[in-house]
Amino acid sequence: MPASSQSLKGRISPMRWLLPIIGFASLSAAIPSPQYSSSTHSHAKRWGDLVQRHSWPAVPKGWKFHSDVPEDYKMTLRIGLKQHRFDALANTLFQISDPSHTRYGAHLSKSQVESLVAPHATSVSIIDDWLRGHGIDLSDSNSVSRSSGGDWITVEVTMPQVEEMLNAKYGVYSYGLDSDSKDASSSNRDYVVRTLAYSLPQAVHDHITVISPTTYFGTWRSMRATSFVDTTEVLADVDQNKLAVVTHDGVDIPVDCITNMTPDCLRRLYNIWYKPQATHLNKLGIVGYLGEFGNRADLQIFYERYMPSALGTSYNTTLVNGGGDDQSKPGREANLDIQYAVSISYPTPNIYYSVGGSPPFIPDSRTVKNTNEPYLEWLHWILALKDEEIPKTITTSYGDDEQTVPYDYQITVCNLFAQLGARGVSILFSSGDVGVGGGDCMTNDGSNKKRFQPGFPGTCPFVTTVGSTTHIPERVVNFSSGGFSNTFPRPSYQDAAVSTYLQAIGGMYSGLYNASGRGVPDIAAQGTRFKVILGGETKAIGGTSASTPVVAAMIALINDYRLANKKPTLGFLNPMLYSENVTRVLNDVTEGSNPGCGTTGFPAREGWDPATGLGTPDFLRLLATLG
């Protein structure tokens, strides 16, 4: 677990997250419940009794201190208030996502979710008093705003104000190859305004879930896109119908699909034969970060070569938090996600969310407002939409090492994904491309111990995490990330599957992973040598970023079928995926492992494993089971 405040570490046991009724992880329980009394309210006026909330023992890896922050710099501060009834939301989410429960599919509306996450009136009063005590005019709508659920307050503050409020020292930090340079105009670096530690008064400590920006450095280039260019020779396009075939579960697949993955290969491999019927109701969302833009001209070339029936159609782009859509700069990650999501789900409408952050910090800038924390920015934006405006399937191919994300930030973001799930949205994340961990795999809490490194947000138990396979018959591809969370306990929906695996491997890698943590991935799909058009040229791209939009597109097609038959969408997938009726129709992967951290990684075996999860989809069987 990342370095955390003494208060949190000393008082909180992960077991407190487990609700005894259903055994589900209640993540808000990690923040102690406030005591609502007049004495507490009186104590709230003493703002000098500070308790450290979070700190790093050193500047996070890859970042370097660049300069002090000008005193006239203004910052937009997001303050998350403790959600008074989040336990009820978690209980409800589990019930409506469990096919065996009588409430299955009874998704909540935006207003119903907001009523469950609204803060207690006492929390609001205490936090308001604290803000007023630091000279913040809560009546000024130009500098103060609240979320519709009331669980977030956004305030514009000066640097002296925020440093006094949080007992923090902010600085300008740079990330990039030339980070020793003081040249603030360098295009090779990113700049953020962050602090290495912050504190809160004891009186408000338990009423706040997270404050940002504070100690979360994992943005822009330190946040990874989970794809890469395959450096082996790009093979010429061939007529797959004329090639020798291999048989996969009774289906003939061209041998060329082993080295040239295309939409047609994926359809044959995973039995994706379905014509959407509810495209007026159903949408698939693709979330992109890091200045990655999909290219519409490249999509037409892709269609011309691999799916001529879709020529002339495209996708929509929605800009979030200053995101861009520069058609002169096609992005590898964006093109991969878009070309395979739209082709597999065709003609389902696809929306690409281009999520921005603040521009590079310029030391003499006075009013840079964006916090440049992409998950929070996008989640706040999407949750504010009406229910009918949100795609019911959303895929994202980015992540950070879990240990680089502050503990309270992880909990807060994960709980926001739970809100989306409760509203009937299926959220998929790639597991990552570093096996059980990349680099030296040393912990960053000051102990410098070797430990497997799972990736966030994939470790959040409210999202579905996708790993990768290769070859036919399928086996683990060596880069497929998987393992066990050091933050989130194992949720009940996967307890039996994960326990069976751990019993099978015995003491393997004892001490290198958290055996009681949430296991990832949940499912997998092909992830090597995907043909992608980039800047008009054919590239071979690999990664769990390739696998994730393919699985998401299949989920979107099942949602289409359900909507066409007047049924609710699948929503949060995991309790359903781990149910016996679904696991038996998946393609179990039992060969290979995911090396990393100087080890051969976790071996695949019968049933769930931390390399390919439950296996790969068989679309027609899933449709028959879930439709």
Side-chain angles (χ1 to χ4, degrees):
M1 183 167 68
S4 187
S5 72
Q6 185 106 19
S7 173
L8 282 172
K9 282 173 124 178
R11 291 186 290 169
I12 299 167
S13 164
M15 292 305 293
R16 290 190 56 190
W17 294 350
L18 303 179
L19 297 182
I21 297 175
I22 58 175
F24 195 73
S26 171
L27 305 186
S28 71
I31 308 298
S33 298
Q35 302 299 311
Y36 303 118
S37 67
S38 58
S39 61
T40 298
H41 186 76
S42 173
H43 183 63
K45 297 184 183 300
R46 302 207 308 268
W47 311 131
D49 183 15
L50 295 169
V51 177
Q52 190 175 91
R53 182 70 171 206
H54 180 256
S55 66
W56 294 119
V59 178
K61 187 175 181 179
W63 293 92
K64 291 193 176 182
F65 177 80
H66 176 269
S67 62
D68 291 328
V69 184
E71 287 194 5
D72 59 357
Y73 176 80
K74 292 183 178 180
M75 173 184 289
T76 297
L77 201 65
R78 288 190 186 272
I79 301 170
L81 278 65
K82 178 174 171 60
Q83 299 166 338
H84 182 45
R85 299 178 63 202
F86 183 83
D87 285 356
L89 177 69
N91 272 315
T92 298
L93 176 62
F94 185 87
Q95 292 169 359
I96 65 179
S97 307
D98 180 357
S100 66
H101 200 280
T102 57
R103 295 185 66 188
Y104 180 64
H107 306 309
L108 303 186
S109 66
K110 180 176 185 288
S111 61
Q112 288 173 321
V113 168
E114 289 175 348
S115 71
L116 293 175
V117 301
H120 193 281
T122 305
S123 293
V124 176
S125 176
I126 290 174
I127 301 308
D128 283 0
D129 284 352
W130 174 57
L131 294 174
R132 289 191 194 99
H134 286 281
I136 295 172
D137 182 2
L138 297 179
S139 65
D140 182 2
S141 60
N142 292 321
S143 59
V144 179
S145 63
R146 300 176 192 263
S147 64
S148 55
D151 53 332
W152 288 89
I153 303 176
T154 303
V155 297
E156 186 177 272
V157 290
T158 64
M159 188 51 54
Q161 271 182 309
V162 71
E163 290 189 334
E164 181 184 6
M165 289 170 62
L166 305 181
N167 190 34
K169 176 61 178 175
Y170 279 80
V172 181
Y173 291 86
S174 63
Y175 185 97
L177 297 175
D178 62 339
S179 54
D180 287 326
S181 167
K182 291 292 183 179
D183 177 15
S185 65
S186 170
S187 61
N188 293 324
R189 284 192 292 164
D190 292 327
Y191 297 85
V192 296
V193 178
R194 295 291 188 272
T195 179
L196 296 180
Y198 77 105
S199 301
L200 292 171
Q202 181 68 57
V204 307
H205 202 283
D206 293 348
H207 298 271
I208 287 177
T209 57
V210 73
I211 296 183
S212 72
T214 50
T215 55
Y216 174 38
F217 282 73
T219 55
W220 287 93
R221 276 189 285 268
S222 62
M223 175 178 139
R224 292 192 304 272
T226 53
S227 69
F228 55 89
V229 175
D230 193 324
T231 56
T232 56
E233 181 184 0
V234 177
L235 303 181
D237 294 323
V238 295
D239 184 351
Q240 292 175 341
N241 291 313
K242 297 181 179 179
L243 292 175
V245 299
V246 294
T247 298
H248 172 77
D249 200 22
V251 177
D252 288 339
I253 301 170
V255 172
D256 188 61
C257 289
I258 296 175
T259 51
N260 289 273
M261 192 56 62
T262 66
D264 181 65
C265 291
L266 292 165
R267 286 192 189 88
R268 299 185 191 215
L269 183 61
Y270 297 132
N271 284 324
I272 311 173
W273 311 112
Y274 172 75
K275 183 177 180 180
Q277 309 165 57
T279 56
H280 60 298
L281 298 174
N282 194 34
K283 297 187 291 286
L284 171 58
I286 307 162
V287 187
Y289 300 103
L290 306 176
E292 282 271 342
F293 314 130
N295 186 272
R296 293 174 183 83
D298 282 345
L299 178 60
Q300 295 308 309
I301 298 172
F302 181 84
Y303 277 154
E304 183 178 10
R305 294 183 184 176
Y306 307 119
M307 197 172 169
S309 61
L311 269 170
T313 65
S314 193
Y315 60 95
N316 295 316
T317 296
T318 297
L319 308 183
V320 180
N321 189 39
D325 188 23
D326 188 343
Q327 291 297 292
S328 69
K329 296 180 179 179
R332 179 191 73 209
E333 180 69 46
N335 272 10
L336 169 64
D337 288 350
I338 289 169
Q339 288 172 18
Y340 280 86
V342 299
S343 61
I344 298 299
S345 66
Y346 177 80
T348 302
N350 278 236
I351 302 174
Y352 181 74
Y353 296 104
S354 177
V355 185
S358 61
F361 178 82
I362 307 297
D364 62 359
S365 176
R366 299 181 60 175
T367 56
V368 177
K369 297 183 179 181
N370 293 330
T371 61
N372 194 20
E373 295 195 347
Y375 303 128
L376 272 183
E377 296 293 345
W378 181 78
L379 281 162
H380 285 180
W381 182 87
I382 198 79
L383 284 167
L385 297 181
K386 298 177 182 178
D387 293 320
E388 63 271 18
E389 295 174 332
I390 301 178
K392 298 309 180 186
T393 313
I394 295 174
T395 176
T396 310
S397 298
Y398 298 81
D400 299 294
D401 285 346
E402 189 182 67
Q403 70 168 359
T404 68
V405 184
Y407 177 79
D408 53 0
Y409 189 93
Q410 290 185 54
I411 300 297
T412 301
V413 167
C414 189
N415 287 352
L416 290 171
F417 286 124
Q419 292 186 43
L420 273 179
R423 292 171 67 178
V425 181
S426 302
I427 308 153
L428 295 94
F429 270 89
S430 54
S431 67
D433 296 343
V434 291
V436 294
D440 59 17
C441 295
M442 295 299 179
T443 58
N444 63 351
D445 58 0
S447 64
N448 205 36
K449 296 178 180 177
K450 186 175 180 180
R451 189 107 168 151
F452 289 168
Q453 298 296 331
F456 178 82
T459 51
C460 169
F462 298 135
V463 305
T464 300
T465 307
V466 184
S468 286
T469 61
T470 189
H471 205 68
I472 302 170
E474 292 183 278
R475 57 181 292 117
V476 180
V477 65
N478 59 6
F479 58 72
S480 183
S481 287
F484 301 88
S485 174
N486 293 310
T487 298
F488 301 101
R490 184 165 68 238
S492 61
Y493 59 73
Q494 65 170 190
D495 194 43
V498 173
S499 296
T500 298
Y501 181 83
L502 292 177
Q503 291 172 7
I505 67 170
M508 178 183 287
Y509 304 134
S510 177
L512 291 179
Y513 69 94
N514 174 25
S516 64
R518 188 283 206 249
V520 290
D522 301 299
I523 197 167
Q526 286 280 322
T528 58
R529 297 194 62 78
F530 276 50
K531 289 295 193 70
V532 174
I533 304 300
L534 184 63
E537 298 181 358
T538 302
K539 302 289 184 182
I541 307 294
T544 52
S545 282
S547 313
T548 309
V550 171
V551 175
M554 285 188 261
I555 298 300
L557 292 177
I558 296 174
N559 278 336
D560 177 280
Y561 182 87
R562 290 179 63 87
L563 288 169
N565 288 275
K566 303 187 184 308
K567 294 182 179 181
T569 55
L570 293 172
F572 175 43
L573 298 172
N574 293 4
M576 172 272 294
L577 285 177
Y578 285 85
S579 66
E580 183 178 354
N581 284 345
V582 173
T583 56
R584 64 182 174 80
V585 301
L586 298 174
N587 304 313
D588 198 5
V589 179
T590 60
E591 298 293 330
S593 65
N594 54 352
C597 300
T599 73
T600 57
F602 290 110
R605 67 176 307 277
E606 183 179 348
W608 181 89
D609 58 67
T612 61
L614 297 165
T616 62
D618 184 306
F619 176 79
L620 289 182
R621 289 180 179 175
L622 278 176
L623 185 64
T625 303
L626 303 175

